[in-house]
Amino acid sequence: MNLSKPYLISSADLSLRDLKLIFEKAKYFGDAPNGTIFDDLKNTSVCTMFLEPSTRTKISFELAAKRLSAITVDFDLASTSYVKGESLLDTIHTLESMGIEYFISRNTDFGTAKYFAENSKSKILNAGEGSQDHPSQGLLDAYTLIERIGSLEQLKGKKICLVGDIKNSRVAKSNFNILSKLGLEISTCSPLEFQLPDSKFKNYENIEQALRDNDIMMMLRIQRERSETFNKFDFTKQESLEWYRDNFALTKDRAIAYPEKLIMHPGPANFGIEIDKEVESLQNSLIKQQVRNGVLIRMAILSLLSRASRKNG
Ligand code: CP
């Protein structure tokens, strides 16, 4: 069976059937011995095109493509003809002429991956766009929860709270789309400045209450590169840091007090601000599994897309 679309542009596009297909395929890859090489993308070339920094997403997509036997190349912005004025779309057309079929795109501008998909014959994957969408992260987060909780049926109805900088987080938006399709009860916990103006979710103004009420806490990075500077959140000032930690941080003491609550963070974390470093290694933390599952989910997406034809797209 194929995914409903021959590309991965938006978390909102993914049907429940797509989600189940991706999770089944990720489990198939996860059940194989670590490092097993598959031939799903043999004779296929994949290009990573990251215009924003990344460690987890970029390297796990590259590793996933290599574990599926693809040839991988990286578009290193600073050393390409982009700096001479060649557009990204012209770059894709040029690389298509060399036989590249997959482009994995991270960009600041929302809509870039859609624009590439509409104007090229390649399989385009959105690897994170501005503060709007990060579909593969939402997928790996959901998969990590299913793996830990046991099944989709058992995950349904669980209460998850997304804590922190919701407004600037593309991970939050992807999780809202995917986790609501899976039947989770979603809430947020953040100060007014980090809330979405049109949010339909209950918001907690203090993490202690959110911890009491929810089964799963997803901590989010404060996106200092996207936030406008406002005095309250100038974390070089001790009083701002203390205020945020008092009200919204998952400190070691708080996490230890609730050993039955599952803890997630998409990374990279601002340790000491939204979460303490010690929390990462607690038995109820899923943070390392999230990173591990990033490879499996991206293998699943690439593999499933290999069966789709862009002519149908
Ligand atoms: N979670 C995530 O997207 O991390 P990177 O920015 O390191 O890829």
Side-chain angles (χ1 to χ4, degrees), residues 8 25-26 47 62 76 130 138 157 166 172 177 194 198 206 215 242 267 272 284 287:
L8 179 66
K25 197 75 187 172
C47 178
E62 184 180 342
D76 176 23
I166 311 288
N177 283 331
F194 287 162
D198 55 352
N206 186 290
D215 305 302
E242 279 173 15
N284 51 330
I287 296 172

Side-chain angles (χ1 to χ4, degrees), residues 2-244:
N2 291 352
L3 295 177
S4 51
K5 297 211 165 28
Y7 37 68
L8 179 66
I9 302 300
S10 157
S11 55
D13 281 350
L14 293 162
S15 65
L16 188 56
R17 181 182 155 279
D18 288 335
L19 298 176
K20 288 180 179 172
L21 272 179
I22 293 168
F23 300 147
E24 272 169 28
K25 197 75 187 172
K27 179 161 180 359
Y28 166 79
F29 289 130
D31 285 345
N34 189 27
T36 304
I37 304 294
F38 299 83
D39 63 3
D40 304 43
L41 263 66
K42 199 167 179 187
N43 304 320
T44 305
S45 300
V46 174
C47 178
T48 46
M49 190 177 249
F50 278 57
L51 273 74
E52 276 192 0
S54 168
T55 298
R56 292 151 195 77
T57 313
K58 184 173 173 182
I59 291 176
S60 63
F61 260 123
E62 184 180 342
L63 197 55
K66 284 192 157 91
R67 285 195 56 199
L68 296 173
S69 304
I71 293 167
T72 59
V73 291
D74 181 46
F75 174 78
D76 176 23
L77 188 76
S79 63
T80 66
S81 290
Y82 179 80
V83 293
K84 294 186 269 186
E86 189 168 39
S87 73
L88 289 176
L89 185 60
D90 287 340
T91 302
I92 287 178
H93 293 156
T94 301
L95 299 180
E96 280 177 337
S97 301
M98 298 179 195
I100 295 176
E101 293 168 60
Y102 286 71
F103 290 88
I104 299 166
S105 163
R106 172 168 286 192
N107 204 290
T108 306
D109 297 327
F110 179 57
T112 306
K114 183 168 186 280
Y115 172 71
F116 292 161
E118 285 170 353
N119 293 284
S120 78
K121 57 183 184 183
S122 296
K123 290 170 182 168
I124 306 291
L125 288 84
N126 175 359
E129 278 184 351
S131 59
Q132 295 301 319
D133 205 357
H134 192 352
S136 63
Q137 180 71 45
L139 285 163
L140 77 88
D141 291 339
Y143 180 69
T144 302
L145 284 170
I146 295 165
E147 186 184 57
R148 178 62 172 250
I149 288 174
S151 69
L152 250 177
E153 288 63 40
Q154 287 168 292
L155 181 60
K156 199 170 173 178
K158 289 275 188 267
K159 294 181 177 177
I160 184 166
C161 185
L162 282 73
V163 186
D165 187 358
I166 311 288
K167 186 167 80 175
N168 293 300
S169 171
R170 54 189 168 217
V171 176
K173 280 86 174 200
S174 297
N175 270 288
F176 291 156
N177 283 331
I178 291 170
L179 297 180
S180 53
K181 267 184 200 136
L182 299 180
L184 280 86
E185 197 177 307
I186 299 172
S187 61
T188 62
C189 175
S190 65
L192 186 64
E193 290 82 350
F194 287 162
Q195 290 169 29
L196 290 171
D198 55 352
S199 175
K200 60 182 182 194
F201 304 114
K202 172 186 169 73
N203 186 70
Y204 293 89
E205 289 177 2
N206 186 290
I207 193 170
E208 299 275 358
Q209 187 61 44
L211 261 166
R212 280 193 283 275
D213 287 359
N214 287 278
D215 305 302
I216 307 152
M217 302 296 283
M218 183 179 288
M219 308 307 296
L220 297 170
R221 182 171 71 87
I222 293 176
Q223 313 247 322
R224 283 181 281 186
E225 73 278 26
R226 286 186 227 283
S227 284
E228 290 156 22
T229 308
F230 31 83
N231 290 335
K232 200 173 188 180
F233 299 114
D234 179 353
F235 292 117
T236 58
K237 293 190 178 143
Q238 191 60 22
E239 69 262 28
S240 290
L241 185 59
E242 279 173 15
W243 179 83
Y244 193 84

